[in-house]
Amino acid sequence: MQVSVETTQGLERRLTITVSADSVDSAVKQRLQQLAKTQRINGFRPGKVPVSVIKKRFGAAVRQEVAGDVMQRNFYEAIMKEQITPAGMPTFDLTKDVDGEDLEFVATFEVYPEVEVKGVEELEIEKAVVEITDKDLDNMMETLQKQHATWKDVKRKAKKDDKVVIDFIGTIDGEEFDGGKAEDFPLELGKGRMIPGFEKPLVGAKKGEEVTAEVTFPEDYHAEALKGKDAVFNITVKNVEGLSLPKLNDEFAVLFGVQEGGVDALKAEVKKNMQRELDQTLKSQLKEAVIAGLIEKNDIEVPQGLIDQEINVLRDQAKQRFEQQGQTAAMPELPADLFQDNAKRRVSVGLLLGEIIKTEELKADQDKVDTLIETAASAYEDPQEVIDYYKGNNELMQQMQNLALEEQAIEVVVSKAKVTEVEKPFDEIMNKTA
């Protein structure tokens, strides 16, 4: 086997590989002999068909099959010999394939870039420091109460977060229009479900009142005939309902699976969950800040083959999300352009973090792996069952080890970068995430 290596452009490499005629022809002959033992041809006894007859009938197909095997095998031998690491699968071009002569083919592929992570000491990273206050806990408890609240009639003016039941008729230039009329229509105020301006006169209105809303339909409104049009809605308030929150007592605690300890035990559990989610959010935000800084400081060339692989991963994930949302009808394949930028970024991040892991000679810390598994399991009813499932699944354990390595690489960057701690309120961090 003879090999020549050529750099065409960027990360692309082209190997021209020549394989001796003897090795190719002998492989073809052996394959034809095997066929002769199994083929049934009229006029010949089974297993007694002459190789010359087999060659005449199947020679071209056999040689094509052998050529494919030869290219695959010799390509991998060549890259090992030349110490080249391909990034993605090669394309083969068979340039010479003649009986009795050396076989020649060209393999074209991309290689991994040489990555040197720069500018780590220059990174300026803001690290949020957050404490869960009693007020934050009270707000969360109120949110839980609202999840189990009931609507009750009230005899006061309507306010934000109330529900009103209304009749309305809409007109444009004094004429009613399709879709502009409804009776006994329930509307929660403050949710922004109607066009801008519709709710304004309803806040402060009482049961039995008639109000008028003057609005302008948005230019991007779904109904073509209404886009940008001014309209007037005459609205009758038929009822006003307010949320009635359940009391914070033992019965309320039971709704969330707390059988003993009552409200205090529920608050303790809620705060623990809030802390877990906060820790995960802060970790994610710090990781994203580090990654953004690394990408800004290191503009690396990324193999298109790796980007294409990542596009396929993102496309499959998108398809799974659609299916989970009940959109199971056949849909066209999502175009690669939708995922190109995200895929390129993800590959860049992988290469940069991979280089840090290699340079720092990092190994997955088992304590960190265990902590990651325990954190994931803590959100389930039976955490130990989840932990055992992870530890009994090699693929999941590998994923957790890779995640631990990523976190360790991030920690290395944070330890070398210029980090500024900034105190921030719980709501700001969590609402931004939401």
Side-chain angles (χ1 to χ4, degrees):
M1 179 182 68
Q2 297 178 350
V3 182
S4 66
V5 184
E6 179 186 359
T7 299
T8 52
Q9 57 179 0
L11 299 174
E12 188 178 87
R13 300 290 183 271
R14 183 159 57 203
L15 295 186
T16 301
I17 301 173
T18 303
V19 184
S20 68
D22 289 344
S23 63
V24 178
D25 292 344
S26 63
V28 172
K29 183 178 179 180
Q30 184 179 12
R31 195 75 58 92
L32 290 172
Q33 289 172 341
Q34 291 172 344
L35 275 177
K37 296 176 181 178
T38 59
Q39 292 299 310
R40 293 181 177 274
I41 296 179
N42 292 336
F44 299 95
R45 287 182 297 165
K48 299 296 183 179
V49 181
V51 173
S52 59
V53 175
I54 294 294
K55 182 177 181 180
K56 185 175 181 181
R57 178 171 293 192
F58 301 107
V62 167
R63 187 167 184 89
Q64 184 179 17
E65 183 180 318
V66 168
D69 293 343
V70 167
M71 287 190 292
Q72 288 281 355
R73 184 174 65 255
N74 283 270
F75 169 73
Y76 288 111
E77 290 179 5
I79 61 175
M80 291 177 65
K81 177 183 176 183
E82 300 293 332
Q83 297 183 335
I84 299 172
T85 304
M89 296 300 294
T91 58
F92 293 128
D93 181 19
L94 188 57
T95 53
K96 184 181 179 182
D97 183 22
V98 179
D99 283 356
E101 298 184 19
D102 292 346
L103 180 144
E104 184 181 277
F105 69 97
V106 174
T108 305
F109 56 94
E110 291 176 297
V111 296
Y112 284 90
E114 293 184 6
V115 179
E116 180 184 357
V117 182
K118 302 176 182 178
V120 173
E121 291 79 5
E122 302 169 8
L123 289 181
E124 296 181 359
I125 298 172
E126 182 180 283
K127 182 180 180 181
V129 178
V130 183
E131 180 183 355
I132 299 176
T133 65
D134 290 341
K135 183 179 178 182
D136 296 325
L137 180 57
D138 289 342
N139 289 340
M140 185 60 68
M141 295 302 295
E142 184 178 347
T143 298
L144 296 180
Q145 285 177 282
K146 287 181 178 179
Q147 291 175 1
H148 291 79
T150 56
W151 293 105
K152 290 191 175 181
D153 294 349
V154 295
K155 296 182 179 180
R156 54 169 172 75
K157 295 179 180 180
K159 61 182 182 180
K160 183 183 175 183
D161 296 328
D162 282 347
K163 180 167 71 174
V164 293
V165 180
I166 57 176
D167 294 343
F168 61 83
I169 299 174
T171 59
I172 296 177
D173 296 330
E175 298 290 332
E176 292 185 26
F177 56 89
D178 291 340
K181 181 178 181 180
E183 295 181 354
D184 296 325
F185 185 82
L187 176 64
E188 290 184 46
L189 300 178
K191 304 297 183 183
R193 293 173 181 165
M194 305 297 281
I195 59 176
F198 186 92
E199 292 185 12
K200 185 176 180 181
L202 292 170
V203 176
K206 286 185 176 182
K207 178 180 178 179
E209 279 192 48
E210 295 182 1
V211 297
T212 301
E214 297 182 1
V215 304
T216 300
F217 282 94
E219 292 293 342
D220 59 353
Y221 194 68
H222 61 85
E224 188 68 33
L226 300 179
K227 290 181 178 180
K229 295 292 182 68
D230 294 328
V232 176
F233 285 91
N234 294 315
I235 308 169
T236 301
V237 181
K238 302 180 75 172
N239 199 25
V240 178
E241 300 175 13
L243 275 176
S244 177
L245 302 182
K247 293 181 179 180
L248 285 176
N249 53 25
D250 291 354
E251 291 182 3
F252 183 75
V254 171
L255 294 175
F256 296 89
V258 178
Q259 302 294 334
E260 298 179 1
V263 174
D264 289 340
L266 175 61
K267 285 185 175 181
E269 185 66 23
V270 169
K271 188 170 184 178
K272 184 175 73 172
N273 292 338
M274 290 171 67
Q275 188 67 57
R276 183 184 69 245
E277 293 178 11
L278 174 62
D279 291 343
Q280 289 297 107
T281 300
L282 291 175
K283 185 190 295 183
S284 296
Q285 290 185 0
L286 181 62
K287 179 179 179 179
E288 183 55 37
V290 169
I291 286 172
L294 288 174
I295 289 177
E296 183 181 353
K297 297 287 186 182
N298 297 271
D299 184 16
I300 60 176
E301 190 173 6
V302 181
Q304 186 60 45
L306 296 184
I307 295 175
D308 292 340
Q309 291 177 23
E310 196 63 32
I311 286 173
N312 290 333
V313 171
L314 293 171
R315 184 187 279 132
D316 288 342
Q317 290 174 351
K319 183 179 179 182
Q320 290 173 9
R321 286 195 296 272
F322 283 127
E323 290 174 350
Q324 289 169 359
Q325 294 167 4
Q327 301 179 33
T328 56
M331 57 181 295
E333 185 173 76
L334 296 171
D337 289 349
L338 285 177
F339 309 101
Q340 176 74 22
D341 291 342
N342 192 14
K344 182 178 179 180
R345 187 176 192 272
R346 285 168 60 125
V347 173
S348 298
V349 170
L351 292 171
L352 289 168
L353 294 182
E355 182 61 23
I356 293 171
I357 290 168
K358 184 177 75 173
T359 303
E360 299 291 333
E361 298 182 345
L362 299 177
K363 305 295 181 183
D365 183 282
Q366 190 57 48
D367 289 339
K368 184 175 285 292
V369 173
D370 291 340
T371 299
L372 287 169
I373 295 173
E374 289 166 6
T375 300
S378 65
Y380 292 85
E381 186 175 346
D382 187 350
Q384 189 58 49
E385 182 180 353
V386 178
I387 292 171
D388 293 341
Y389 179 73
Y390 266 86
K391 293 191 173 182
N393 187 305
N394 290 334
E395 185 177 344
L396 289 176
M397 285 301 295
Q398 185 62 55
Q399 290 176 8
M400 283 302 181
Q401 289 166 0
N402 292 341
L403 185 56
L405 275 173
E406 278 191 11
E407 290 195 1
Q408 289 169 239
I410 295 295
E411 289 168 2
V412 168
V413 177
V414 171
S415 70
K416 297 180 179 181
K418 300 173 183 177
V419 179
T420 304
E421 293 190 347
V422 181
E423 293 187 4
K424 291 192 176 183
F426 177 83
D427 276 350
E428 179 181 335
I429 295 298
M430 300 309 291
N431 288 340
K432 180 180 179 181
T433 302

